[in-house]
Amino acid sequence: MCAQRTLTRKFALPLSRYYTKSVQASSDSRLASPKTVKPRRIVLTGFMGSGKSTLGPLLAARLGWSFIDVDDVIEAEAGTTIAEIFARHGEAAFRERERATIERLAAGDSLVLALGGGAIEHQATRTLLLTASGTLLVHLQVELATTLKRCRGTEQTRPILADHANLESRYLRRLPLYRMAHHSIHVDDLFPEQAVEKILSLFCLDCGQKNPS
Ligand code: S3P
């Protein structure tokens, strides 16, 4: 879902309206991430409204890990909003700041990291997150219609969402990049807690212990 952000974001709908009760999750295992592998960090990627910033804290709490939202760090360090960074400096400047921030944060252990929706477009970021030892990249997959429903009313704080003319092409361009992640989970019809369970079961992360570090 479009997550709450202290400065700039608000839930467009109550939590319960983002997810229906039917569970239709599916996932694909693509890269070597067997259940015996114990990750030291989980990185959540996906289009706007996929729930990265909402699931992230829940997942981290289940694991006894920390949670960091990359966009929050960018805004705190810049002392301004992402929308302002886009408006003043352009998307390319934001992307470079985003890349450097992820590179720094992704070195942390016992960490759930939520990326901004466009971070996956940067090749260096993808390579880092797909190859770094102990890092598992999880794609929360949503239909574009889900993004539009969940993020309605947040265009002012989401410049990419506000760019209506290019939204669908961005979505389609990013989809194969997201799907390079170690796992993809369809989350359109999942409650946040259900998606968390799905992620935990993918990696057997809370099998037997609370805090695998
Ligand atoms: C963006 C998504 C936003 C934020 C920025 C750009 C994108 O994050 O990083 O507005 O390019 O899709 P969320 O995915 O958390 O909304």
Side-chain angles (χ1 to χ4, degrees):
M1 64 226 35
C2 276
Q4 196 167 23
R5 185 171 302 282
T6 321
L7 285 176
T8 60
R9 301 186 190 189
K10 295 207 173 1
F11 283 102
L13 293 169
L15 195 67
S16 58
R17 302 219 4 225
Y18 287 127
Y19 291 85
T20 70
K21 286 202 168 150
S22 62
V23 180
Q24 297 174 347
S26 66
S27 71
D28 302 325
S29 299
R30 309 193 170 78
L31 302 181
S33 52
K35 293 195 170 195
T36 49
V37 171
K38 198 177 282 181
R40 299 197 301 278
R41 65 198 72 85
I42 299 174
V43 181
L44 301 176
T45 187
F47 208 58
M48 292 171 286
S50 58
K52 307 175 293 287
S53 307
T54 300
L55 307 190
L58 300 177
L59 180 60
R62 284 289 298 274
L63 293 166
W65 288 7
S66 306
F67 169 74
I68 300 178
D69 185 313
V70 172
D71 286 344
D72 284 345
V73 173
I74 291 173
E75 289 190 333
E77 291 181 350
T80 188
T81 64
I82 287 172
E84 266 302 303
I85 298 172
F86 268 75
R88 279 196 211 150
H89 308 291
E91 182 174 352
F94 170 76
R95 295 297 171 205
E96 178 47 30
R97 188 185 276 266
E98 181 178 48
R99 182 206 61 72
T101 306
I102 292 168
E103 185 180 279
R104 176 163 45 90
L105 295 175
D109 280 348
S110 304
L111 175 68
V112 176
L113 192 64
L115 305 184
I120 202 71
E121 293 209 53
H122 205 296
Q123 184 172 355
T125 299
R126 284 201 306 279
T127 302
L128 172 74
L129 299 176
L130 286 169
T131 60
S133 169
T135 297
L136 283 173
L137 183 61
V138 177
H139 167 211
L140 305 177
Q141 184 166 339
V142 284
E143 302 292 332
L144 183 54
T146 301
T147 290
L148 293 173
K149 186 173 70 180
R150 292 180 182 174
C151 296
R152 190 180 303 134
T154 64
E155 284 86 352
Q156 283 202 326
T157 58
R158 285 191 165 85
I160 298 299
L161 184 67
D163 184 12
H164 294 127
N166 295 308
L167 192 62
E168 185 174 11
S169 59
R170 273 190 205 263
Y171 175 86
L172 294 173
R173 184 174 78 217
R174 288 178 185 177
L175 200 50
L177 304 179
Y178 291 134
R179 290 181 61 79
M180 293 171 77
H182 299 111
H183 287 269
S184 286
I185 301 172
H186 291 267
V187 294
D188 296 275
D189 297 324
L190 292 186
F191 287 104
E193 293 77 8
Q194 291 172 317
V196 167
E197 291 300 333
K198 189 80 190 163
I199 295 170
L200 291 170
S201 70
L202 282 176
F203 309 119
C204 205
L205 281 177
D206 66 348
C207 296
Q209 60 177 358
K210 260 294 195 207
N211 189 3
S213 54

